[in-house]
Amino acid sequence: MSESTPAPSPAFVQQLNFHARDASNEAAALQAAVSLGLFEHLPEAGTAEPASLAALVKQVGGASRGVRAVVEPLVALGFIHLEDGRGYVLPPATAAFLRDAAFVAGLREARRWWHVLALLPQAVRGGAPVTWDGVEWDLLGAYRALFLAPPPSFPNAEARDFHDRFARNPARTLALVASAELGVLARLVQGASPLDVLAREVDAVPEALAVLLGTLAAMGIAQEREGGWGLTEAAGRALDAQSLPYFQRALPATLAYWEALGHLDEAVREQRFRLDLREPETARRIYQENASRISSIFASHLRLSRQAAALVRKMRPLAEARVLDVGTGSGVWGAAFGLADPSSHVTYLDSPHVLDAVRPHLAKLKLEARSRLWAGDCLSVDYGESCFDVILLPQIIPALPPAELPGFFARLARALKPGGLLLISGYLLTDRRDGPLDALYFSLRRYVTNEGDVLSLPEFRALLAPVGLTEARGFDMPIQQVVIAHRGDVAWADAASSG
């Protein structure tokens, strides 16, 4: 983007990224809550005692972790209220639209389309109904009704918002997926084009492509003007030949979780996970794809990771430091600490197929001589005693079974030298576990893939103090947060922390 080009609107970019990444998580939570009958077990505020989590689990007949994963985003969105120390209730506005039988029937009908939405590329190419589960579905007609027809009436403004998130948001996400898969976004970035020309270039039926473009228009991305279909001014500032590939990288990951999210209610009730990352081959495939995806944005993540290294360096020197990067992924966190001091040495621990993605980065940064690649399972390797000055946990806690965390932290604490630091990067929930929303959506994904959880600072402290790491604070960093813990033998950096 040239210096003369106006900067993209942060609000538009945020909305675009939300529809690419988190809208599916939010919609899955809303749809699972309806399917599980969860709302039916919540009293309206002021009419009865709040329902505790334990009571909801019993009434829904599901796993506690699963029910909580569904409820927490709905609390953050305001559709459910959490009364401290008591439990959950429905705000009057939510209770009002959930008493409307026609509205609830519409929700149940919208839920039937979750898996069919993923066939949108096929519908746009063929211009005909698609077949799913042995039944023909007029998917293009469904998109016309959602985005191109006059909106229906709703019981109240909250109901309109609920329906939009429940039914339209997943359809928006799949419109982006289809537009990327068909090459529509790439073609629009090049400039405006008449519908028939655009349809020929992306191998689509013009009338079907018009539905997809109309959906993008309703999202503020595309518009029809004199020269044909092109990007809106806001979309043109946010998406260009350089930024589009970065944006589109999120879409395959979103689609990879689609079936699992569509069966979230099943995961809660039966603990049956359609994308089970505790299954070795599934985990190998997904984490290898993740490592490759992260590697493609390694440079930008490295700049952010180096800020964490600078924070640690304010607390203790990194000269001759022995650093362990557990669950290294692309290796970006370990590399940041390797670059922080020319005498530091970093060990990168992960599975062999993930470490394959680390080697090229170390070679490019000329860190190979001060690096060790350690292939192993972070839950079973022997970390030794007093071996490391700094131990890094880059976004791996949510991937680990919660029952394993006490023993895992005990082994890591044993491996820290006196004056050593444990640095945990990733999402950090509020003390009430009612935000931030992106962290709760990430936590939901972890549940639906049978992995771990996202924690709050008090929850981290409860795990770390028993193993001797009695001091722990959270620090806000760009994009994510870090928790730094030690034995009380290191002075805290003079930096703003979250607690």
Side-chain angles (χ1 to χ4, degrees):
M1 193 170 291
S2 68
E3 293 183 5
S4 60
T5 303
S9 161
F12 182 85
V13 172
Q14 183 179 24
Q15 182 183 60
L16 197 61
N17 287 331
F18 170 74
H19 287 139
R21 294 177 173 89
D22 284 333
S24 56
N25 305 305
E26 178 179 283
L30 292 167
Q31 295 196 12
V34 170
S35 179
L36 292 166
L38 191 148
F39 292 114
E40 299 163 20
H41 301 298
L42 293 173
E44 183 176 348
T47 65
E49 282 296 305
S52 67
L53 178 62
L56 284 179
V57 170
K58 183 177 180 180
Q59 290 163 331
V60 168
S64 177
R65 166 78 177 91
V67 173
R68 181 163 59 80
V70 171
V71 169
E72 287 174 342
L74 307 191
V75 172
L77 289 167
F79 294 121
I80 296 175
H81 281 178
L82 170 61
E83 296 190 2
D84 283 335
R86 302 183 66 201
Y88 302 98
V89 296
L90 289 179
T94 304
F97 68 71
L98 290 176
R99 285 194 297 264
D100 187 301
F103 178 77
V104 173
L107 296 180
R108 296 193 183 280
E109 171 61 24
R111 175 162 169 70
R112 296 176 60 241
W113 289 84
W114 181 275
H115 300 288
V116 183
L117 293 174
L119 301 179
L120 184 58
Q122 176 184 328
V124 175
R125 286 191 184 102
V130 297
T131 300
W132 182 79
D133 199 25
V135 177
E136 280 198 347
W137 301 73
D138 183 9
L139 183 54
L140 295 173
Y143 266 86
R144 290 188 188 96
L146 282 171
F147 297 102
L148 306 182
S153 60
F154 293 100
N156 55 31
E158 288 80 5
R160 183 182 299 107
D161 181 46
F162 189 100
H163 181 270
D164 188 74
R165 296 172 186 273
F166 188 103
R168 286 159 60 95
N169 266 353
R172 290 181 178 108
T173 298
L174 267 300
L176 289 174
V177 170
S179 299
E181 181 178 325
L182 296 171
V184 173
L185 289 178
R187 183 60 188 82
L188 293 178
V189 162
Q190 296 174 18
S193 199
L195 177 62
D196 58 339
V197 173
L198 187 57
R200 188 164 56 250
E201 291 180 345
V202 302
D203 191 25
V205 172
E207 294 78 11
L209 180 60
V211 175
L212 177 59
L213 291 168
T215 301
L216 296 180
M219 297 171 65
I221 296 171
Q223 64 180 358
E224 188 175 17
R225 48 182 181 252
E226 187 175 338
W229 281 94
L231 294 178
T232 62
E233 183 180 351
R237 292 199 301 267
L239 299 174
D240 58 20
Q242 291 183 323
S243 62
L244 180 63
Y246 176 84
F247 168 74
Q248 292 187 151
R249 285 189 190 105
L251 297 172
T254 297
L255 198 58
Y257 288 84
W258 197 262
E259 182 184 5
L261 288 170
H263 290 282
L264 175 56
D265 55 342
E266 178 183 87
V268 173
R269 278 203 176 107
E270 305 171 27
Q271 289 75 68
R272 183 182 176 196
F273 302 93
R274 299 297 182 109
L275 185 66
D276 192 342
L277 294 185
R278 295 192 192 181
E279 195 280 314
E281 181 55 31
T282 302
R284 184 203 65 77
R285 173 175 58 84
I286 293 296
Y287 281 118
Q288 190 168 13
E289 290 173 359
N290 286 349
S292 174
R293 192 174 299 113
I294 293 171
S295 291
S296 66
I297 53 175
F298 185 92
S300 62
H301 279 212
L302 181 61
R303 289 192 295 272
L304 301 175
S305 304
R306 295 189 77 167
Q307 294 185 39
L311 174 62
V312 167
R313 194 163 49 190
K314 293 178 181 178
M315 298 176 62
R316 56 151 297 136
L318 291 177
E320 304 292 339
R322 311 294 289 188
V323 180
L324 173 63
D325 187 358
V326 181
T328 186
S330 68
V332 68
W333 280 86
F337 279 78
L339 294 170
D341 191 280
S343 63
S344 63
H345 185 280
V346 181
T347 297
Y348 302 81
L349 171 64
D350 215 314
S351 52
H353 55 272
V354 173
L355 292 177
D356 288 340
V358 177
R359 289 185 176 89
H361 299 306
L362 300 182
K364 185 175 181 179
L365 296 171
K366 297 181 171 48
L367 291 173
E368 293 169 300
R370 296 187 286 114
S371 302
R372 173 196 175 201
L373 298 183
W374 184 5
D377 181 348
C378 69
L379 293 176
S380 60
V381 299
D382 181 1
Y383 293 102
E385 184 174 357
S386 298
C387 298
F388 300 101
D389 299 287
V390 179
I391 297 179
L392 309 173
L393 302 179
Q395 195 62 284
I396 72 161
I397 295 302
L400 304 179
E404 299 282 355
L405 294 183
F408 177 61
F409 281 127
R411 291 190 294 275
L412 293 178
R414 179 173 175 266
L416 273 178
K417 294 180 181 180
L421 297 176
L422 176 68
L423 187 149
I424 307 166
S425 71
Y427 290 110
L428 189 63
L429 293 180
T430 63
D431 291 0
R432 280 167 41 99
R433 293 187 60 94
D434 58 356
L437 266 170
D438 56 347
L440 293 172
Y441 297 144
F442 184 78
S443 178
L444 182 71
R445 268 196 193 188
R446 302 283 59 79
Y447 175 74
V448 83
T449 52
N450 197 22
E451 289 193 297
D453 200 0
V454 178
L455 304 179
S456 65
L457 187 57
E459 288 170 323
F460 272 119
R461 285 172 171 160
L463 287 164
L464 296 169
V467 300
L469 300 177
T470 54
E471 296 291 324
R473 292 187 183 181
F475 294 85
D476 292 322
M477 305 294 290
I479 298 181
Q480 57 188 345
Q481 294 146 309
V482 297
V483 172
I484 298 179
H486 55 78
R487 299 185 181 91
D489 52 0
V490 182
W492 287 110
D494 182 19
S497 69
S498 61

